[in-house]
Amino acid sequence: MNNRPLLLDCDTGIDDALALTYLLNCDTDLVGISTVSGNTSAQQASANTLALLALAGRPGIPVAVGEHDPRTGAYRGGAPHVHGGNGVGDVSLPGAGTPSDETGPEMLLRLSRVHAGELDVVAIGPLTNIARALDQDPALPQRIHRLIIMGGAVWVPGNTTDHAEANIYNDAAAAAQVLTAGFDVTLVPLDVTLQHTFTDDDAALLEDSGHPLHLALGTMLRRYIDFYESVDGVRAAPLHDPLAAAIATGEVAITAARSVAIQVLAEDTEDRGRTMAADGRPQVQVVTGASADADAAIRARLLSTSRHQGVTQ
Ligand code: BDR
Ligand code: CA
């Protein structure tokens, strides 16, 4: 298991909540969390994150509110049809804690200096915070060990438009900038995340565990499954963000990947947010397969909350 210092950049979000809980239950050194607008606003994502940390018995991890608006244009109101009006399936979480004084980009820049050459960044929302940090310091990639991104649809259709995946679509200009900035990138796109799903059985396991965090996650998961059933006709929700987190920790092995340059179409056309494999450099590692036991590994980690962290039920 990778125990490097890790920064999570997220738009919390139902699957972000699962990814956060997964990371909390691993022996990762989660040194900070920054939020960004995507599934919900950066402010609401930060409130969701603080509440989840409190439920997990881990209130000490700093949470920075990041960028509200994408690089061009304005925040478009999130994805309430997917993630509910509050980002977490309209599950009411207890108010908890206050965000840090620093912004998301400031947190990333500070931690990149404190842990120069060691810090892994797991980005599971739009890439606005990372792009803004690059504006301030183009040498940032040299201080980041690895950037693991959930985003893109390279050889499969998109989930927001025919070709675009949501995280990239929501700030295509930021994605174009980040994917060519020289980070050591592992891209975890829909090509692989759609192969790994949770069902009502997983929601039931969470709901029945008795832990308040699990109950909240199980209720959210039902809502997420409802959405995917409305689109695909199947009661199964992809593990987009948890899979990226599990690849970042090294618990889930990559079984297929290609190194290619990724061209992001950032212009405001119907192709905005499309991620296309291209010749040239810089190349990124695009994951197309993950080990078959990924779902079981993520499930086991999620359910280990009380035992692992000693939170009373
Ligand atoms: C990605 O978009 C968001 O809705 C999810 O949280 C995930 O990060 C999937 O396309
Ligand atoms: Ca997300």
Side-chain angles (χ1 to χ4, degrees):
M1 181 80 75
N2 168 15
N3 60 1
R4 289 178 186 280
L6 189 150
L7 169 69
L8 179 67
D9 187 70
C10 53
D11 58 336
T12 326
I14 296 174
D15 59 329
D16 304 72
L18 295 171
L20 170 61
T21 305
Y22 168 85
L23 288 172
L24 291 173
N25 290 356
C26 291
D27 292 325
T28 50
D29 182 14
L30 190 54
V31 291
I33 303 172
S34 49
T35 63
V36 62
S37 293
N39 296 323
T40 188
S41 70
Q43 192 77 42
Q44 181 65 48
S46 147
N48 294 345
T49 303
L50 287 163
L52 291 163
L53 289 174
L55 283 174
R58 298 283 295 276
I61 299 172
V63 177
V65 181
E67 296 292 306
H68 179 71
D69 293 319
R71 296 228 58 149
T72 56
Y75 170 55
R76 287 180 286 271
H81 57 299
V82 186
H83 294 268
N86 67 353
V88 285
D90 293 320
V91 173
S92 180
L93 299 177
T98 49
S100 127
D101 288 338
E102 59 190 353
T103 67
E106 285 169 354
M107 175 180 272
L108 171 55
L109 289 168
R110 178 178 62 77
L111 290 173
S112 75
R113 294 187 181 107
V114 171
H115 304 285
E118 290 295 313
L119 186 69
D120 279 348
V121 177
V122 182
I124 55 176
L127 295 169
T128 322
N129 286 332
I130 299 166
R132 292 290 180 200
L134 274 172
D135 288 347
Q136 292 173 43
D137 185 354
L140 174 65
Q142 293 153 31
R143 298 194 302 277
I144 300 299
H145 175 258
R146 187 160 71 125
L147 172 59
I148 300 94
I149 297 170
M150 190 283 126
V154 184
W155 294 286
V156 299
N159 62 357
T160 299
T161 68
D162 285 352
H163 298 297
E165 179 278 331
N167 287 340
I168 305 296
Y169 180 83
N170 281 328
D171 197 342
Q177 181 181 359
V178 169
L179 287 170
T180 52
F183 290 102
D184 181 348
V185 172
T186 298
L187 190 69
V188 183
L190 297 184
D191 304 61
V192 63
T193 63
L194 292 173
Q195 300 172 29
H196 298 273
T197 55
F198 270 1
T199 66
D200 284 311
D201 290 347
D202 298 292
L205 283 171
L206 287 161
E207 289 163 345
D208 293 348
S209 91
H211 194 293
L213 174 60
H214 293 166
L215 180 58
L217 293 175
T219 310
M220 289 177 214
L221 179 57
R222 296 266 188 207
R223 170 79 182 249
Y224 207 39
I225 292 170
D226 288 345
F227 167 74
Y228 276 98
E229 182 184 32
S230 75
V231 173
D232 301 331
V234 179
R235 290 196 62 75
L239 295 173
H240 303 296
D241 293 346
L243 188 69
I247 286 172
T249 65
E251 182 166 38
V252 166
I254 295 170
T255 56
R258 287 176 63 181
S259 289
V260 292
I262 291 291
Q263 184 190 1
V264 180
L265 302 186
E267 291 75 33
D268 207 6
T269 68
E270 65 179 20
D271 265 350
R272 176 161 66 92
R274 185 171 187 170
T275 42
M276 298 171 67
D279 292 330
R281 297 196 170 271
Q283 292 192 332
V284 306
Q285 183 188 37
V286 180
V287 181
T288 56
S291 65
D293 62 1
D295 313 13
I298 292 166
R299 180 185 305 116
R301 286 284 174 192
L302 291 175
L303 289 167
S304 73
T305 303
S306 55
R307 178 172 48 78
H308 184 85
Q309 290 161 2
V311 178
T312 51
Q313 296 188 9

